[in-house]
Amino acid sequence: MKSDASIVHITADSRSKANCSQCSLNSLCLPLGLNQSEIEKLDGLVNSDIKLKPNETVFEQGQKFTKLFAIRSGVFKSAQIDSEGNEKILGFYLPGELVGLDAIHEETYKTNVTALDTASVCSIPFDNLTNLTASIPSLQLQLLRMLSKEINDVHTQILNFGIEQRLAAFIYTLSLRYQERGYSGTHINLAMPRLDIANHLNMAPETISRLFKRMQADGLININRRELIITDMQKLKDLAGCIPGQE
Amino acid sequence: MKSDASIVHITADSRSKANCSQCSLNSLCLPLGLNQSEIEKLDGLVNSDIKLKPNETVFEQGQKFTKLFAIRSGVFKSAQIDSEGNEKILGFYLPGELVGLDAIHEETYKTNVTALDTASVCSIPFDNLTNLTASIPSLQLQLLRMLSKEINDVHTQILNFGIEQRLAAFIYTLSLRYQERGYSGTHINLAMPRLDIANHLNMAPETISRLFKRMQADGLININRRELIITDMQKLKDLAGCIPGQE
DNA sequence: CGAATCATTGATCACAGTCAACTCTAGTGG
DNA sequence: CCACTAGAGTTGACTGTGATCAATGATTCG
C-alpha cells in the first residue's frame, strides 16, 4: 500500500551481522549478500506491509502472475484445487519465505495462498525484480538459489515413506525453519489444524492424532492441541530419516 | 497444447528448430527466445556431447556443483540415497530437459543422475551461465522459468492420492513430455524397469503390474513389458485427474 | 542351452483409512 | 455466570487396500 523507507526485511544499519535483520540471517532471504545501495534499490520496488486477516488469500490459482510475495508475519498455506474441487495443501510458509515462485513458469499463480492467522506480506513486482537482478549479480544468484531451495524442499517431502516418518519429518523441518528465523525450535504453536496437516501429508486426521500420541509416549514430543514441544530433537530427527542439507 | 504458443514462445518467428539445435523446440529449452548472436554466446560455453553408457552417472549426490547438464539423448533417473542406503527415485529426465537445478541452492548435487540406456548430455558451467544471463534478459527469464517449471512438476507428483491415479498421471505426463519433444505421445518405450517406476511412485512393483493389467482391461492402454501404447488418451487423462498447465 | 534378470500372478496379512461416538475448548448470549 | 452451541480434536471398532511373500513365466545374454 505505501512505500515507506525500510522495506522488505532490511533496515540498512542492522545488517551488519547477518545481512538481513528482518528475517534474521539464513539463505532464504532475498536481500542476503547485498550492499547498502543495492538494498535501497531493492527496497524501491517493494510494496511493504499488506495486512491479511485469517483465511484471506494473497493470490488465487489461475490469476495472472505479476508479483512475488515475501512473508513478513503469520503463517500461510499453499493449496491447489483439483477438477473435483478437492483441496490439496502443497505446503506451509513462514515469515521470511517467498511465495509465488511456481507461478513464474506460466505467468499464472498455480495455488491459493491463504493466511492461517492474521498476517502481513510485502509484494515484489517480478518484472522490476528481474530488471534489477540483471545489474546485481548476487541478487540474481540469490533468487536462483531460492527457487532451487524450493525444489529441494518438495523433494524432501516426497522422500518419506511411512506415516510416522512423514509426520516426524514435517515437525522436524518446521522446527528447523522456525529456528533459522530466530524463533524457538522446540516450542512451536502450530498455526494449522490437524485437518490441514493430514491433508498435506496425505493422511487421515485421526492418524495424526494417534501418531502424536505415540510420539508423546515415546518421549519425542509433548503436544496439547496446537501447542507442540519437542522434547527429544535427536530422536525426532532420527525418526524423520532423510533430511537433506544435513551432515 | 501447442496451438497456443502464447506464453513462453515470446517473439516466435520460425525459431523452434533454428534456435535450439541441441534439444529441439519446446518451452523447456534454455536458448528459447534468443537471437542468433546470443545463441552463439551460449553455445560458446556449452560443452556438448558427453556420451554415457547405461548405468553411468552424470553426477553424484554430494559432489560440488559447478555445471548444469542438458540431456541430448537417452533417459535418465534422478535418485537420492538416504541414511539407510535406500534409493528413492525423484524423477526421470528426457532429452531436452535440464538436470542439476536443485543443486544451485547449496552448490552441491543433491541426487545421483544415472543414464538408463546409452545417452548423451551437454554441460553448462553455471558461473558462466549466470554471467551471460546478466546481459541477456530473455535468457535469465528462461532459466528462471525452467526452475519454476521444475517446482510445478514436483508439485504435480504430490497431488495424486490413489495408486491408480498416481500411475495414470505418471504415464500421462510422460506421454505429454514425449509429445512436446516431437516423439509419439501414444507409443512409448518405457526406459525404466517396473521396479524403478514402483520406487518413484511409492508402490510395490507387483501393484504396478496389476494396475497396468486393469488399465489394459479398461481399454486405456496396451502394454507388453516395456512397450506401452496409449489407446484412450482422454480416459487416461481423466483418470490421472489433476494435471496442471492444461486447459 | 542354462543363468540371470525382469515381469506377472496368486494368497495372505497388516497398516492406515473410514465410520461413529465422545471430549474438550472457545465463543455467544440470556 | 452458567447453559448452550459449534468446531476441533481424540478415541475405539471395523474394514479394505495395497504391501509382502512365494512361485511361475518371459526375455535376454554369455
Side-chain angles (χ1 to χ4, degrees):
Chain A
M1 311 286 164
K2 60 275 166 134
S3 315
D4 45 348
S6 74
I7 319 286
V8 201
H9 297 148
I10 356 78
T11 48
D13 44 15
S14 58
R15 283 195 322 106
S16 32
K17 55 181 86 170
N19 269 342
C20 181
S21 69
Q22 191 68 234
C23 68
S24 61
L25 57 141
N26 92 47
S27 58
L28 297 175
C29 186
L30 199 52
L32 184 90
L34 302 194
N35 67 33
Q36 172 103 14
S37 83
E38 291 167 343
I39 287 177
E40 277 164 16
K41 285 184 196 156
L42 180 57
D43 279 357
L45 50 90
V46 167
N47 185 349
S48 79
D49 233 22
I50 302 167
K51 311 277 192 194
L52 293 121
K53 291 196 278 283
N55 232 31
E56 278 188 315
T57 60
V58 181
F59 51 74
E60 282 175 32
Q61 193 172 343
Q63 288 176 345
K64 179 155 175 54
F65 165 73
T66 53
K67 300 167 181 171
L68 296 171
F69 293 86
I71 305 207
R72 298 205 57 182
S73 64
V75 180
F76 292 78
K77 73 174 175 183
S78 165
Q80 227 167 26
I81 313 288
D82 71 14
S83 40
E84 284 110 28
N86 303 312
E87 177 184 77
K88 167 74 190 186
I89 298 175
L90 294 174
F92 299 97
Y93 291 93
L94 306 183
E97 297 179 333
L98 213 54
V99 293
L101 294 175
D102 55 344
I104 296 173
H105 171 55
E106 288 181 333
E107 294 182 335
T108 306
Y109 293 113
K110 311 298 277 188
T111 62
N112 299 336
V113 167
T114 314
L116 291 172
D117 41 25
T118 57
S120 61
V121 299
C122 30
S123 72
I124 310 168
F126 183 67
D127 286 347
N128 299 343
L129 180 61
T130 50
N131 286 340
L132 199 56
T133 53
S135 63
I136 308 179
S138 57
L139 182 61
Q140 186 201 19
L141 188 56
Q142 187 58 15
L143 180 59
L144 288 169
R145 282 214 186 94
M146 292 175 79
L147 277 143
S148 181
K149 178 167 192 341
E150 184 104 3
I151 298 172
N152 275 295
D153 289 346
V154 189
H155 278 167
T156 310
Q157 291 174 30
I158 302 184
L159 284 179
N160 304 284
F161 312 86
I163 44 171
E164 189 153 28
Q165 199 180 35
R166 278 217 299 289
L167 184 57
F170 174 72
I171 298 174
Y172 181 67
T173 54
L174 202 60
S175 164
L176 280 186
R177 285 155 72 197
Y178 271 117
Q179 239 175 291
E180 281 170 352
R181 267 145 257 283
Y183 298 102
S184 163
T186 53
H187 291 61
I188 297 174
N189 195 325
L190 296 172
M192 66 295 287
R194 299 281 188 276
L195 206 72
D196 281 357
I197 302 178
N199 178 314
H200 177 232
L201 299 180
N202 257 321
M203 308 171 23
E206 294 93 330
T207 309
I208 304 270
S209 258
R210 292 187 245 268
L211 285 177
F212 273 154
K213 202 181 163 189
R214 180 152 82 210
M215 290 164 87
Q216 183 154 16
D218 293 349
L220 301 190
I221 61 169
N222 217 308
I223 187 156
N224 184 310
R225 301 243 137 191
R226 304 281 179 98
E227 267 180 43
L228 170 67
I229 302 173
I230 300 175
T231 52
D232 192 333
M233 191 64 81
Q234 186 56 46
K235 269 203 215 163
L236 181 66
K237 183 181 171 182
D238 293 344
L239 185 60
C242 31
I243 305 297
Q246 305 302 106
E247 92 214 58
Chain B
M1 329 291 170
K2 287 189 189 158
S3 37
D4 73 322
S6 45
I7 335 174
V8 174
H9 290 245
I10 324 161
T11 50
D13 32 31
S14 63
R15 84 152 54 84
S16 342
K17 298 272 185 176
N19 249 348
C20 184
S21 57
Q22 318 268 19
C23 68
S24 63
L25 65 138
N26 90 50
S27 65
L28 297 173
C29 186
L30 198 52
L32 184 92
L34 303 194
N35 66 35
Q36 189 72 31
S37 83
E38 291 167 342
I39 287 179
E40 277 163 18
K41 285 183 197 157
L42 180 58
D43 279 355
L45 50 87
V46 168
N47 183 352
S48 77
D49 232 24
I50 302 167
K51 310 278 191 194
L52 293 120
K53 291 195 278 282
N55 233 33
E56 279 189 313
T57 59
V58 181
F59 51 74
E60 281 174 31
Q61 193 171 343
Q63 289 176 344
K64 180 154 174 56
F65 164 73
T66 54
K67 300 166 180 171
L68 297 172
F69 293 86
I71 307 215
R72 297 204 58 184
S73 65
V75 180
F76 292 78
K77 72 174 176 183
S78 164
Q80 228 167 27
I81 312 287
D82 71 14
S83 41
E84 284 111 28
N86 304 312
E87 177 185 77
K88 168 73 188 187
I89 298 176
L90 294 174
F92 300 96
Y93 291 93
L94 305 183
E97 296 179 334
L98 213 54
V99 293
L101 294 174
D102 55 343
I104 296 173
H105 172 53
E106 288 180 334
E107 294 183 333
T108 306
Y109 293 113
K110 311 298 277 186
T111 61
N112 299 335
V113 167
T114 313
L116 291 173
D117 40 26
T118 57
S120 62
V121 300
C122 33
S123 72
I124 310 167
F126 184 66
D127 286 349
N128 299 344
L129 180 62
T130 50
N131 286 341
L132 199 56
T133 54
S135 63
I136 308 179
S138 58
L139 181 61
Q140 186 201 20
L141 189 56
Q142 186 59 16
L143 180 58
L144 287 169
R145 282 213 184 97
M146 292 174 80
L147 276 144
S148 181
K149 178 168 193 342
E150 183 104 2
I151 297 172
N152 275 296
D153 290 345
V154 192
H155 277 166
T156 311
Q157 291 174 30
I158 303 184
L159 284 179
N160 305 284
F161 310 85
I163 45 167
E164 190 153 26
Q165 199 180 35
R166 277 217 300 288
L167 183 57
F170 174 72
I171 297 174
Y172 181 67
T173 53
L174 203 60
S175 163
L176 280 186
R177 285 155 74 197
Y178 272 117
Q179 239 175 290
E180 279 170 352
R181 267 147 257 281
Y183 299 102
S184 163
T186 54
H187 290 60
I188 297 175
N189 195 325
L190 296 173
M192 66 296 286
R194 299 280 188 278
L195 205 74
D196 280 358
I197 302 177
N199 178 313
H200 176 231
L201 298 179
N202 257 322
M203 307 171 25
E206 294 91 331
T207 309
I208 305 271
S209 258
R210 292 186 244 268
L211 286 177
F212 272 153
K213 200 179 163 190
R214 181 152 82 208
M215 290 163 88
Q216 184 155 18
D218 293 350
L220 301 189
I221 61 168
N222 216 307
I223 188 157
N224 182 309
R225 299 244 134 193
R226 304 280 179 97
E227 267 181 43
L228 170 68
I229 301 172
I230 300 175
T231 51
D232 193 333
M233 190 66 80
Q234 186 55 47
K235 269 204 215 164
L236 181 66
K237 183 182 172 181
D238 292 345
L239 185 58
C242 31
I243 305 296
Q246 303 304 107
E247 100 218 49

